[in-house]
Amino acid sequence: MNVAADIEARELSYAEAIREAMDVALASDERVILMGEDIGVYGGAFQVTGDLIDTYGPDRVIDTPISELGGAGVAVGAALTGLRPIFEFQFSDFATLAMEQIVNQAAKVRYMLGGAVSVPVVMRFPAGSGTGAAAQHSQSLEAWFAHVPGLKVVQPSTPHDAKGLLLAALEDPDPVMIFEHKLLYKMRGAVPEGHYTVPIGKAEIRREGVDVSIVATSIMVHKVLEAAEMLAGEGIEAEVIDLRTVRPLDRETVLASVRKTSRLVCVYEAVKTLGIGAEISAMVAESDAFDYLDAPIVRLGGAECPIPYNPELEKAAVPQVEDIIEAVRAQVKGRL
Amino acid sequence: MNVAADIEARELSYAEAIREAMDVALASDERVILMGEDIGVYGGAFQVTGDLIDTYGPDRVIDTPISELGGAGVAVGAALTGLRPIFEFQFSDFATLAMEQIVNQAAKVRYMLGGAVSVPVVMRFPAGSGTGAAAQHSQSLEAWFAHVPGLKVVQPSTPHDAKGLLLAALEDPDPVMIFEHKLLYKMRGAVPEGHYTVPIGKAEIRREGVDVSIVATSIMVHKVLEAAEMLAGEGIEAEVIDLRTVRPLDRETVLASVRKTSRLVCVYEAVKTLGIGAEISAMVAESDAFDYLDAPIVRLGGAECPIPYNPELEKAAVPQVEDIIEAVRAQVKGRL
Amino acid sequence: MADTSPDNIPFAISAYTPERLRGALRQMYLIRKFEEGAEDSYTRGLIHGTMHLSIGQEASAVGACIGLSETDKITSTHRGHGHSIAKGADVGRMFAEFFGKETGYCKGRGGSMHIADVGKGNLGANGIVGGGLPIAVGAALSAKRLETGAVTVCFFGDGANNEGAFHEALNMAAIWKLPVIFLCENNKYGMSMSTDRSTAVASIADRAVAYAMAGASVDGNDFSAVSEASEAAIARARAGEGPSLIEAVTYRWRGHSKSDRNRYRSKEEIAEWMACDPIPRMVQMLSDHGIIGAGDAARIEAEAEAEIVQGIAFAKESPAPALSDVTRDVYTKPAA
Amino acid sequence: MADTSPDNIPFAISAYTPERLRGALRQMYLIRKFEEGAEDSYTRGLIHGTMHLSIGQEASAVGACIGLSETDKITSTHRGHGHSIAKGADVGRMFAEFFGKETGYCKGRGGSMHIADVGKGNLGANGIVGGGLPIAVGAALSAKRLETGAVTVCFFGDGANNEGAFHEALNMAAIWKLPVIFLCENNKYGMSMSTDRSTAVASIADRAVAYAMAGASVDGNDFSAVSEASEAAIARARAGEGPSLIEAVTYRWRGHSKSDRNRYRSKEEIAEWMACDPIPRMVQMLSDHGIIGAGDAARIEAEAEAEIVQGIAFAKESPAPALSDVTRDVYTKPAA
Ligand SMILES: Cc1ncc(C[n+]2csc(CCOP(=O)(O)OP(=O)(O)O)c2C)c(N)n1
Ligand SMILES: Cc1ncc(C[n+]2csc(CCOP(=O)(O)OP(=O)(O)O)c2C)c(N)n1
Ligand SMILES: [Mg+2]
Ligand SMILES: [Mg+2]
């Protein structure tokens, strides 16, 4: 279902794919600038910007001081006045310092001004756990942003989508928040060369199935696909939907799948309570697909605790392949 | 069901009830201090602190500079070291400046330190629309906080509960976030004198009924009760649950009601997507109460836009009594 | 009798043509009359919500903007009517916004706290204290990168100078040598908190040292003094010499907003400052130097008054927004 | 040969007993050895996640803490091992935390970035740059209100000085005259960004002016100089004269963290600073003044080394947390 599957594609890592998207954008549009902490000679905390500074120089690949609120606000102001900034938060957790500019300014200024302006800013948020960096460097906060009208929020799960969604975000006149999972940065996959976009607002069916629909985001897509293969061995055919965009939701893709399978499991890394799975579940439960449901809607989300440091605890705090298998098994058990 | 209904109670406004709670606390516990912008001689933007500074002086009723991040952080640091601060955000919208201290520090420090500390801080957030203050002064952001383990989050809907929950929050060793609806400040109701608490984590059934369960928060409780009276005239008996605490949820009260009525409507002012109704709906849809459901779960939440200025638009952006009546009618229509 | 020897000619008299000076006086009257009209309209129930009047502060708004062209930008504050008018806004559309009408600057969505006039370079008032500071730096970054030659004047209050955004914005503007002027209208109070109590330094301009930035403190009720400091800062900005901080010491005659009971300042203090009204001082200067003759001031005032009357009439007659449009203009490009 | 005439006796020699001075040297060795042990453990795969070593910065940690008692507090940073040891932490429990063990200071939940030792007055390291600044002010507010006499030393880096939290915290500490010392370890870089590029002023201490605060810049590799400035600040704090800002100019020998490729500074620069190692300078001063004799330094170093070896052994043997405890200690009082 890969929109560019027919184009000759090389394998790139997720981080390289993002870098390539930025490279394409910087090369083709003078208005594009990158901003963030240590994105210059350091290459970014996760080496996503890499050596772009060598090509585009410090005026377009701008190291910001450690000033998240101000930095994000500068990006918003620049976007309002003709530039196309891509602002990198070094860790998504530091967005807690910049919610004012993101939520009160970027998300609302167009509406508050009756449509007189647009804010074409892109913000990138390295998110998620698994790196042993503990509670202040491992959060998955995308649900906060998905609660805010005026923002668009995406969570690419593959190198292909990471590049395509970033290029789509850059073409989008509205603020787009991109949540990238840190553990995906090294993941490799086919990525077309040059310019292409992946539409914001469209989910992707990664695996077709008839017994249960599993809606997953970001890194969980891969865990779910792994679980789905194991489940297939037991005769359970799961349909796996990669949500890709968490605001706005692709209702139709999810609902059509649920109408087909009559069972829904949502899998996401963020804290379970009020994570994106809450919205998916509620959206389905209030739709006409409700009548097709043969079982309660199950959510697998992060544990109700901060992310712990100890590596085993850290794993225990977010859904793992075995948890998914177990949950799906329980879900389809009563299906006869 | 009022825990103190048998005690002689005067009528106070919601704002007066909160002030009385603070007064009781300041009088009985030297460790209690108030912090916030213009809470001193000005009496608070909504006159909630009123004249407390006259009794307790500027060392305990502390005007802070316009420094929300720093102010909240000072409260967190003070709570860690022996004081019991009550920090007032002038408008809940300004919490966007302080999410770092609330979410990365207050909510997580106990866990990150393996239980070595507690953070007995109380934060008050005047929230909601209806005052003509537009998009940056009218938000309902409680769902963000309810997504964060480590925080407790309450939304009192009556003067009685406003006082009792604040006193409970002060006795609680963990950070408690209190969302107060600005339009409720002038609402009057019976309030017992002296010290009493309303338990954090317990919902309250405000009206019993058999046809549909309506879970509402804050000001919506009153709109729902009004709607319920009208619906009763049509023969629809709604059970109205005032959630009161949004983290942690009182699952049992909600589930028991749904098992009884087989129908659920959630009503809240925050933006519908990922507002608290999403969690209520998802919680029910994954519980055994799912099997009792005779209809899709309906959510009535705020429109997917910032709060507009024009008063008619402003009303159109949040659920009104007529919207509730209509939604409930549609919900129970097919009940025969 | 003013000293009119060449040495003592005020800056403004030597710098501007008589026509521009009369235009400046006209703007000062227009601001005063606008605020009075707004107050009156509020009393008549035409205005929803709150408002922040700038009566007494006319010289700083007009003095800071006289050196700007339409390609130059400003960012404004909650107390922004004066800034809008000084940057050339139409008072009819301003009143229309105030009255929540579709013909208002924000189509009735923003109200007083969000009036903007992007075509004239006014990027908008802001409901968040300090919210405009990083945005102004972003506008200056755009100007520098896109080589537009534009200068940005960032208005903010003494209260805002204690926000973290102030620090981050000034630091970034300084390290990047951006063409931005931070114009602090120090009216001695942030709501009820006097600068003595809120701010560790006696003069906001003293803080320029922390950014190795040019800093100046001027009599904010003296049009000539404000314009002199502003022109010097504009020249520095245009020459690529970076940002400046100007403190214009002034006073607001009215309460902070409509709900202010004025308990934090004395009648005497207010009276003293009213005696120092910037408008008669401007009239005096212009007549001392022969820029206006007998009767000119009264005529200009009457014209301003007429413009206000007309503006209010336009606003009253204007249509209200359609309720069905409540979610219009949240996005420039609603998603797929 | 050092000048030992009475006039030139270093502050530390005259201020402290030989025993305390030898204790300080011991702590400096312990910090150095701890960091080396951590590095070695990392290489052996015993440590998950990242770490920030303070090799080269031992004098500032120990010099700032020597004047504190256990009732005095510190707040620390991501680069906090030295601060912990200087405040009296046990290296065994520190290593245990590093290794994610239940015997660690945070029971394995926090890791290197969250080590705290509340009993000894160390309120904890912080993963958020600048996160500790307002918290330290809060601790000082508690000390003042509760009249404990305690002083709080707030460690932070040059990078943190551009956070809004710095500005807000210093302003509040100044206006309220709180007993807090802001100790900036200026190691010339915030990750890859040199202070030349990130900070508008040449010396962080210059920013004290913006808060009318005592400010001093000292050689941070000179134990005596750091302790002298710290003692003066502690005395001011205890006398009720308010806060101080001290800049200790120093250098980190290692990369920012384990993923640093060191592309932003030269080998020569590093070598120059290594030649200025604070430990031999301390040894020299102590032997010049007869505080230690031949062989003493080597013996103290060997003892420190042995303590580290023992600490690592303790940590290795310690039990890991139970996975079932993943949500323990989120709340002090789990809700009703
Ligand atoms: C972040 C934030 N905090 C608080 C407020 C509430 N508030 C609005 S105006 C104001 C006072 C601002 O003082 P100053 O900057 O001096 O401007 P002035 O009102 O004197 O023009 C306050 C506290 C706000 N709007 N935004
Ligand atoms: C709010 C925040 N922004 C960014 C980071 C990532 N980060 C961690 S340490 C660091 C550099 C801090 O520099 P400095 O304050 O000088 O301390 P140093 O590392 O030099 O000791 C950065 C950018 C963070 N942890 N928190
Ligand atoms: Mg002011
Ligand atoms: Mg540093």
Side-chain angles (χ1 to χ4, degrees):
Chain A
M1 307 286 287
N2 191 316
V3 293
D6 45 355
I7 301 173
E8 181 69 68
R10 308 114 328 132
E11 293 243 312
L12 291 184
S13 75
Y14 187 95
E16 287 162 352
I18 297 167
R19 176 154 69 251
E20 189 167 271
M22 296 193 287
D23 197 355
V24 167
L26 285 160
S28 63
D29 187 345
E30 271 295 320
R31 299 170 306 169
V32 173
I33 59 167
L34 312 186
M35 296 178 64
E37 292 161 15
D38 307 290
I39 65 166
V41 289
Y42 198 92
F46 298 99
Q47 295 300 316
V48 176
T49 42
D51 56 7
L52 289 175
I53 192 167
D54 297 339
T55 313
Y56 301 100
D59 286 345
R60 296 188 68 200
V61 180
I62 305 174
D63 271 336
T64 56
I66 312 178
S67 306
E68 286 80 6
L69 173 64
V74 170
V76 172
L80 272 170
T81 51
L83 291 176
R84 295 256 169 180
I86 305 178
F87 186 85
E88 176 182 288
F89 283 90
Q90 196 161 85
F91 285 74
S92 68
D93 311 69
F94 312 152
T96 50
L97 286 159
M99 296 308 285
E100 197 291 285
Q101 284 291 332
I102 300 171
V103 174
N104 293 330
Q105 313 293 342
K108 296 185 174 48
V109 61
R110 175 176 177 77
Y111 187 83
M112 292 189 300
L113 268 52
V117 293
S118 295
V119 188
V121 70
V122 177
M123 298 194 178
R124 297 182 36 246
F125 302 86
S129 69
T131 66
Q136 294 174 332
H137 285 73
S138 304
Q139 292 168 85
S140 296
L141 297 172
E142 63 281 353
W144 284 2
F145 298 79
H147 186 46
V148 178
L151 302 180
K152 294 170 183 169
V153 187
V154 302
Q155 279 190 292
S157 73
T158 65
H160 172 275
D161 287 0
K163 179 174 171 186
L165 282 167
L166 179 50
L167 286 168
L170 271 166
E171 284 177 9
D172 199 290
D174 297 314
V176 181
M177 312 286 114
I178 306 184
F179 283 79
E180 303 163 358
H181 199 292
K182 284 165 273 175
L183 291 190
L184 290 177
Y185 282 134
K186 297 204 168 138
M187 201 195 102
R188 301 187 71 77
V191 178
E193 310 217 19
H195 185 275
Y196 69 96
T197 60
V198 167
I200 294 171
K202 294 298 288 175
E204 176 86 350
I205 295 174
R206 296 283 177 202
R207 184 184 195 283
E208 303 210 359
V210 292
D211 295 319
V212 57
S213 300
I214 311 182
V215 177
T217 52
S218 189
I219 196 168
M220 289 299 155
V221 171
H222 304 284
K223 296 195 183 178
V224 166
L225 285 169
E226 203 181 318
E229 286 312 307
M230 321 271 277
L231 287 161
E234 304 176 16
I236 299 170
E237 290 299 337
E239 178 140 306
V240 180
I241 299 172
D242 178 354
L243 200 54
R244 298 204 296 198
T245 297
V246 295
R247 183 178 191 94
L249 286 183
D250 182 350
R251 295 165 50 87
E252 274 323 306
T253 299
V254 175
L255 293 178
S257 180
V258 173
R259 281 188 212 104
K260 180 169 82 173
T261 66
S262 301
R263 288 183 155 76
L264 176 59
V265 175
C266 305
V267 187
Y268 50 105
E269 175 170 326
V271 170
K272 180 178 171 182
T273 297
L274 279 163
I276 190 67
E279 182 60 30
I280 302 287
S281 171
M283 185 267 282
V284 171
E286 75 187 340
S287 73
D288 67 344
F290 172 81
D291 290 329
Y292 293 77
L293 285 174
D294 284 343
I297 300 171
V298 170
R299 290 179 295 160
L300 276 183
E304 301 292 322
C305 63
I307 297 292
Y309 168 70
N310 172 288
E312 298 309 317
L313 285 181
E314 188 181 16
K315 278 184 212 127
V318 300
Q320 301 298 340
V321 175
E322 313 79 67
D323 305 317
I324 299 165
I325 292 173
E326 227 172 85
V328 174
R329 257 195 219 129
Q331 169 79 328
V332 297
K333 202 171 49 197
R335 97 190 115 138
L336 301 181
Chain B
M1 310 283 287
N2 191 316
V3 293
D6 45 357
I7 301 172
E8 182 70 68
R10 311 111 329 131
E11 293 243 312
L12 291 184
S13 76
Y14 187 94
E16 286 162 353
I18 297 168
R19 176 154 68 251
E20 189 166 272
M22 295 193 285
D23 197 354
V24 166
L26 286 159
S28 64
D29 188 345
E30 271 294 321
R31 300 170 306 169
V32 173
I33 58 167
L34 312 187
M35 296 178 63
E37 292 161 16
D38 307 290
I39 65 167
V41 290
Y42 198 94
F46 298 99
Q47 295 300 316
V48 176
T49 41
D51 55 8
L52 289 175
I53 192 167
D54 297 340
T55 313
Y56 301 100
D59 286 345
R60 297 188 67 200
V61 179
I62 305 174
D63 272 336
T64 56
I66 311 178
S67 306
E68 286 80 5
L69 174 64
V74 170
V76 172
L80 272 170
T81 51
L83 292 176
R84 295 255 169 180
I86 306 178
F87 186 85
E88 175 181 289
F89 283 90
Q90 196 160 85
F91 286 73
S92 68
D93 312 69
F94 312 153
T96 49
L97 285 158
M99 297 309 284
E100 195 291 285
Q101 284 291 332
I102 301 172
V103 174
N104 294 330
Q105 312 294 340
K108 297 185 174 47
V109 62
R110 175 175 176 77
Y111 187 83
M112 293 188 301
L113 268 52
V117 292
S118 294
V119 189
V121 70
V122 177
M123 298 193 179
R124 298 183 34 247
F125 302 87
S129 68
T131 67
Q136 293 174 332
H137 285 73
S138 305
Q139 292 168 85
S140 297
L141 295 172
E142 64 281 355
W144 283 3
F145 298 80
H147 186 46
V148 179
L151 301 180
K152 294 170 183 169
V153 186
V154 302
Q155 281 191 291
S157 73
T158 65
H160 173 276
D161 286 0
K163 179 174 171 187
L165 282 167
L166 179 50
L167 286 168
L170 270 166
E171 285 178 8
D172 200 288
D174 297 314
V176 181
M177 311 286 114
I178 306 184
F179 282 79
E180 303 164 358
H181 199 290
K182 285 165 275 177
L183 291 189
L184 290 177
Y185 282 133
K186 298 206 165 134
M187 200 196 103
R188 302 186 71 77
V191 178
E193 310 216 19
H195 184 274
Y196 69 97
T197 60
V198 167
I200 294 171
K202 295 297 289 173
E204 176 88 351
I205 295 173
R206 296 283 177 202
R207 184 184 195 285
E208 303 211 357
V210 292
D211 295 320
V212 56
S213 301
I214 311 182
V215 177
T217 52
S218 189
I219 196 167
M220 289 298 154
V221 171
H222 304 285
K223 295 195 183 178
V224 166
L225 286 169
E226 203 181 320
E229 286 313 305
M230 319 270 277
L231 288 162
E234 304 175 15
I236 299 169
E237 290 299 336
E239 178 141 304
V240 180
I241 299 173
D242 179 353
L243 200 55
R244 298 204 296 200
T245 297
V246 296
R247 183 179 190 92
L249 284 183
D250 182 350
R251 295 166 50 87
E252 275 323 306
T253 300
V254 174
L255 294 179
S257 180
V258 173
R259 280 188 213 104
K260 180 169 81 173
T261 66
S262 301
R263 287 184 156 74
L264 175 60
V265 175
C266 306
V267 188
Y268 50 106
E269 176 169 325
V271 170
K272 180 178 172 183
T273 297
L274 279 164
I276 190 67
E279 182 60 30
I280 302 288
S281 171
M283 186 266 282
V284 171
E286 76 186 339
S287 73
D288 68 342
F290 172 82
D291 290 331
Y292 292 77
L293 286 174
D294 285 343
I297 300 171
V298 170
R299 291 179 294 161
L300 276 182
E304 302 290 324
C305 63
I307 298 292
Y309 168 70
N310 172 288
E312 298 309 318
L313 284 181
E314 189 181 16
K315 277 184 211 126
V318 300
Q320 301 298 339
V321 174
E322 314 79 66
D323 305 318
I324 299 165
I325 292 173
E326 227 172 85
V328 174
R329 256 193 220 129
Q331 170 78 327
V332 297
K333 201 172 51 198
R335 96 189 116 137
L336 302 182
Chain C
M1 193 57 251
D3 182 346
T4 51
S5 68
D7 281 0
N8 282 300
I9 291 181
F11 169 83
I13 300 296
S14 59
Y16 305 115
T17 63
E19 201 188 321
R20 277 176 84 189
L21 288 167
R22 284 190 294 264
L25 177 62
R26 183 190 142 271
Q27 284 189 329
M28 289 172 70
Y29 275 125
L30 204 55
I31 295 172
R32 177 71 52 95
K33 303 287 169 193
F34 182 91
E35 302 294 44
E36 290 170 356
E39 216 170 11
D40 185 60
S41 303
Y42 185 89
T43 315
R44 290 170 197 268
L46 289 165
I47 290 171
H48 172 54
T50 188
M51 64 182 162
H52 306 93
L53 303 176
S54 66
I55 297 179
Q57 303 188 182
E58 295 84 354
S60 62
V62 178
C65 290
I66 189 168
L68 303 180
S69 75
E70 284 189 10
T71 55
D72 295 319
K73 312 281 184 224
I74 66 166
T75 61
S76 167
T77 70
H78 59 285
R79 200 175 304 288
H81 308 151
H83 312 147
S84 288
I85 291 172
K87 200 72 176 58
D90 171 68
V91 295
R93 291 191 62 195
M94 287 176 68
F95 275 116
E97 188 53 39
F98 235 143
F99 297 0
K101 300 300 181 72
E102 188 72 30
T103 55
Y105 270 110
C106 309
K107 303 195 172 145
R109 270 68 173 177
S112 158
M113 269 192 292
H114 301 293
I115 291 174
D117 184 7
V118 181
K120 290 264 169 59
N122 176 0
L123 296 177
N126 212 307
I128 302 297
V129 167
L133 283 151
I135 292 174
V137 177
L141 181 67
S142 285
K144 184 165 180 172
R145 251 221 67 65
L146 301 172
E147 296 173 8
T148 64
V151 162
T152 301
V153 171
C154 172
F155 287 100
F156 65 105
D158 50 286
N161 105 94
N162 294 317
E163 283 284 7
F166 166 86
H167 180 65
E168 298 185 4
L170 269 74
N171 184 60
M172 280 187 280
I175 58 174
W176 296 330
K177 279 195 179 268
L178 297 179
V180 54
I181 294 151
F182 298 100
L183 200 133
C184 181
E185 294 182 294
N186 180 353
N187 60 10
K188 313 298 246 174
Y189 295 90
M191 217 156 148
S192 70
M193 207 170 176
S194 66
T195 53
D196 300 345
R197 294 199 297 129
S198 72
T199 306
V201 282
S203 162
I204 313 294
D206 290 350
R207 290 192 162 163
V209 173
Y211 313 100
M213 192 184 288
S217 185
V218 300
D219 177 347
N221 284 5
D222 177 351
F223 167 80
S224 183
V226 176
S227 67
E228 183 169 9
S230 300
E231 292 284 4
I234 292 168
R236 265 195 302 277
R238 295 214 206 277
E241 290 163 22
S244 307
L245 172 61
I246 299 172
E247 174 185 29
V249 179
T250 181
Y251 201 77
R252 63 166 155 75
W253 294 8
R254 296 296 190 269
H256 167 72
S257 68
K258 274 291 144 194
S259 54
D260 188 343
R261 294 173 305 159
N262 244 327
R263 302 217 310 191
Y264 52 88
R265 53 185 197 170
S266 66
K267 290 210 179 71
E268 295 69 39
E269 183 183 287
I270 299 172
E272 248 172 63
W273 276 94
M274 287 178 72
C276 189
D277 188 338
I279 297 184
R281 286 175 68 183
M282 177 77 164
V283 169
Q284 185 73 49
M285 177 181 76
L286 297 190
S287 60
D288 281 351
H289 296 279
I291 308 294
I292 54 174
D296 279 351
R299 188 184 40 76
I300 294 172
E301 181 175 9
E303 281 166 15
E305 181 70 48
E307 203 171 326
I308 294 299
V309 170
Q310 213 181 330
I312 291 177
F314 165 79
K316 272 196 199 157
E317 288 153 17
S318 288
L323 293 194
S324 56
D325 280 342
V326 67
T327 58
R328 192 189 65 194
D329 290 331
V330 177
Y331 295 99
T332 314
K333 181 185 161 196
Chain D
M1 194 59 246
D3 183 346
T4 52
S5 68
D7 282 0
N8 281 300
I9 290 182
F11 168 84
I13 300 297
S14 57
Y16 305 115
T17 62
E19 200 188 322
R20 276 177 84 191
L21 288 167
R22 284 190 292 267
L25 177 62
R26 183 191 141 273
Q27 284 189 329
M28 288 171 69
Y29 275 124
L30 205 55
I31 295 170
R32 177 71 53 94
K33 303 287 168 193
F34 182 90
E35 301 294 44
E36 290 170 355
E39 216 170 12
D40 185 59
S41 302
Y42 185 89
T43 314
R44 289 169 198 271
L46 290 165
I47 291 172
H48 174 53
T50 188
M51 63 183 164
H52 306 92
L53 304 177
S54 66
I55 297 178
Q57 305 187 180
E58 295 84 355
S60 62
V62 179
C65 291
I66 189 167
L68 303 179
S69 76
E70 284 188 12
T71 56
D72 294 320
K73 312 281 184 223
I74 67 165
T75 62
S76 167
T77 70
H78 60 284
R79 200 175 305 288
H81 308 151
H83 311 146
S84 288
I85 291 172
K87 200 71 177 57
D90 171 67
V91 294
R93 291 191 62 196
M94 288 176 67
F95 275 114
E97 188 54 38
F98 235 142
F99 296 179
K101 299 301 181 73
E102 189 73 29
T103 56
Y105 272 110
C106 309
K107 302 194 173 146
R109 270 68 173 177
S112 157
M113 270 192 292
H114 301 292
I115 291 175
D117 184 7
V118 182
K120 290 264 169 58
N122 177 0
L123 296 177
N126 211 308
I128 302 296
V129 167
L133 284 151
I135 292 174
V137 177
L141 181 67
S142 286
K144 184 166 180 171
R145 253 221 67 64
L146 301 172
E147 295 174 8
T148 64
V151 161
T152 301
V153 171
C154 172
F155 287 100
F156 65 105
D158 51 285
N161 106 94
N162 294 316
E163 283 284 6
F166 165 86
H167 179 64
E168 299 186 3
L170 269 74
N171 184 60
M172 280 186 279
I175 58 174
W176 296 330
K177 280 195 176 265
L178 296 179
V180 54
I181 294 151
F182 298 101
L183 200 133
C184 181
E185 294 182 294
N186 181 352
N187 60 11
K188 312 299 246 173
Y189 296 90
M191 216 155 149
S192 69
M193 208 171 176
S194 66
T195 52
D196 301 345
R197 293 199 297 129
S198 71
T199 306
V201 283
S203 163
I204 313 294
D206 291 349
R207 291 192 161 163
V209 173
Y211 314 100
M213 192 184 289
S217 185
V218 300
D219 177 348
N221 284 7
D222 176 351
F223 167 81
S224 182
V226 176
S227 67
E228 183 168 11
S230 300
E231 292 284 2
I234 292 168
R236 264 195 304 276
R238 297 216 204 275
E241 290 163 21
S244 306
L245 172 61
I246 299 172
E247 175 185 28
V249 179
T250 181
Y251 201 77
R252 64 167 155 73
W253 292 8
R254 296 294 190 270
H256 167 71
S257 67
K258 275 289 142 195
S259 54
D260 188 342
R261 293 174 303 159
N262 244 326
R263 303 217 310 190
Y264 52 88
R265 52 184 200 174
S266 65
K267 290 212 179 73
E268 294 70 38
E269 184 183 289
I270 300 172
E272 249 172 62
W273 277 95
M274 287 178 71
C276 190
D277 188 339
I279 297 183
R281 286 175 69 183
M282 177 77 164
V283 169
Q284 185 71 51
M285 178 180 76
L286 297 189
S287 61
D288 281 351
H289 296 279
I291 308 293
I292 54 174
D296 279 351
R299 187 183 40 75
I300 294 172
E301 182 175 8
E303 281 166 15
E305 181 70 48
E307 203 172 325
I308 295 299
V309 169
Q310 213 181 330
I312 291 177
F314 166 80
K316 272 196 201 159
E317 287 152 19
S318 288
L323 292 194
S324 56
D325 281 342
V326 66
T327 57
R328 191 187 67 192
D329 290 330
V330 178
Y331 296 99
T332 313
K333 180 185 162 196

